[in-house]
Amino acid sequence: MSDVVLDPAHHRIALVGAGIGGSLSPALHEREARALGLDYRYSLLDLDDLPPGWTLRDAVRGGVTGFNVTHPVKQAVLAQLDDLSADARALGAVNTVSVRDGRLTGHNTDHSGFLAGVRHGLPGVRLGRVVVVGAGGAGSAVAYALAGAGAGVSIADADADRTAALVARLRGTFPTGEIHRLAAEAVPAALADADGIVNATPVGMTGHPGLPFDAGILRDRHWVADVVYRPLDTALLGAARAAGCRVLDGGAMLVAQAARTLALLTGAVPDLDRMRRHLAALTRGEGKR
């Protein structure tokens, strides 16, 4: 990765999503950009506040030079893009959009961010067989990362068609992989033979309280990861910890994907350890573990 900053020298990045007022991304990105000496501002574009028919190109005309994309438009935004990276095309979801010479290209840093988070936060964990709950943008990235790392992956979602579409895409990308479609009600049975489980749904996020599945099925041999990072200590992770499970909060994925995004949009090389310290400082005093 080059350490030469890409044009433009003035980076104006925006996060696009719904209900994003509590996002930690602006502060996380701006703290690291400041440490790197970049002219970099990160703003929020909440879909709930934007006019009907608004598009990414409207923001580009307003001076935005790159985007992060989050729930619920990681897949819906594809129609607005000129091109996709190989990973984004395989996933059918983006979380980062670069703007070069008027062309919008979608990337996905969620998958590498998730895997980096697992390796840092759950060192030595057995990937073996993993259940992924959620087949949306985050679930696509998590399942892609796990399949690419050689894990057997079973994917469950309330939307059976979305699950089937994701499984078909992943089987096309990893033809020798063990990738299975799972009915939502079959999660308990699948977990009996699994090493770990990942919540890749918004359930547990601020404004979306609850558990994505019955945590009573967890055993101390399981590891449990959550993509939700606000709050960091979700109800699921609390229940998993009580069951004796090793757990990974969504902050690990947040930091790693943010670092990769910052690199893609600026050409600079972020310091992952420093960004983890940024996140710790941002969440200190919130009562999070």
Side-chain angles (χ1 to χ4, degrees):
M1 198 182 300
S2 170
D3 60 359
V4 177
V5 177
L6 302 179
D7 286 332
H10 307 290
H11 304 283
R12 301 295 179 260
I13 313 304
L15 173 64
V16 180
I20 54 177
S23 175
L24 295 177
S25 291
L28 182 62
H29 277 245
E30 288 184 349
R31 286 187 181 207
E32 182 60 15
R34 192 158 50 246
L36 293 168
L38 301 177
D39 180 351
Y40 188 104
R41 295 179 190 169
Y42 192 110
S43 61
L44 301 180
L45 291 172
D46 196 309
L47 295 170
D48 295 335
D49 302 324
L50 295 171
W54 179 91
T55 70
L56 298 182
R57 292 188 187 279
D58 293 325
V60 172
R61 285 190 286 270
V64 172
T65 62
F67 300 88
N68 268 154
V69 180
T70 190
H71 176 78
V73 289
K74 290 184 178 184
Q75 294 164 320
V77 77
L78 296 178
Q80 299 184 30
L81 307 179
D82 298 300
D83 200 3
L84 296 172
S85 69
D87 287 337
R89 184 171 292 107
L91 282 160
V94 305
N95 78 317
T96 303
V97 177
S98 60
V99 181
R100 301 279 186 271
D101 300 322
R103 291 182 60 81
L104 276 60
T105 301
H107 307 266
N108 196 299
T109 68
D110 280 337
H111 70 95
S112 57
F114 176 75
L115 199 57
V118 168
R119 288 172 172 161
H120 176 77
L122 294 172
V125 76
R126 173 179 166 78
L127 294 181
R129 297 179 181 176
V130 184
V131 175
V132 177
V133 181
S140 297
V142 167
Y144 181 92
L146 290 167
V153 183
S154 296
I155 305 164
D157 191 283
D159 186 332
D161 291 340
R162 184 162 68 171
T163 308
L166 174 56
V167 168
R169 280 200 309 274
L170 292 178
R171 285 176 175 170
T173 305
F174 305 105
T176 62
E178 293 187 18
I179 302 162
H180 306 286
R181 175 180 172 182
L182 190 65
E185 61 271 18
V187 168
L191 199 58
D193 296 322
D195 298 285
I197 187 164
V198 183
N199 173 40
T201 77
V203 178
M205 184 189 301
T206 300
H208 300 270
L211 293 166
F213 57 87
D214 178 8
I217 62 178
L218 295 172
R219 299 293 178 265
D220 60 7
R221 63 181 181 80
H222 293 127
W223 56 266
V224 179
D226 205 327
V227 302
V228 172
Y229 72 85
R230 204 66 184 266
L232 280 175
D233 197 13
T234 61
L236 173 61
L237 295 187
R241 197 179 293 109
C245 303
R246 294 179 68 184
V247 302
L248 182 71
D249 63 53
M253 179 176 175
L254 171 68
V255 167
Q257 67 83 10
R260 179 59 183 151
T261 291
L262 206 156
L264 272 171
L265 298 181
T266 69
V269 182
D271 184 320
L272 261 174
D273 286 334
R274 183 168 60 205
M275 291 189 73
R276 292 184 183 111
R277 293 194 295 272
H278 294 327
L279 182 63
L282 289 168
T283 57
R284 193 173 296 130
E286 293 185 354
K288 313 301 180 197
R289 292 181 179 84

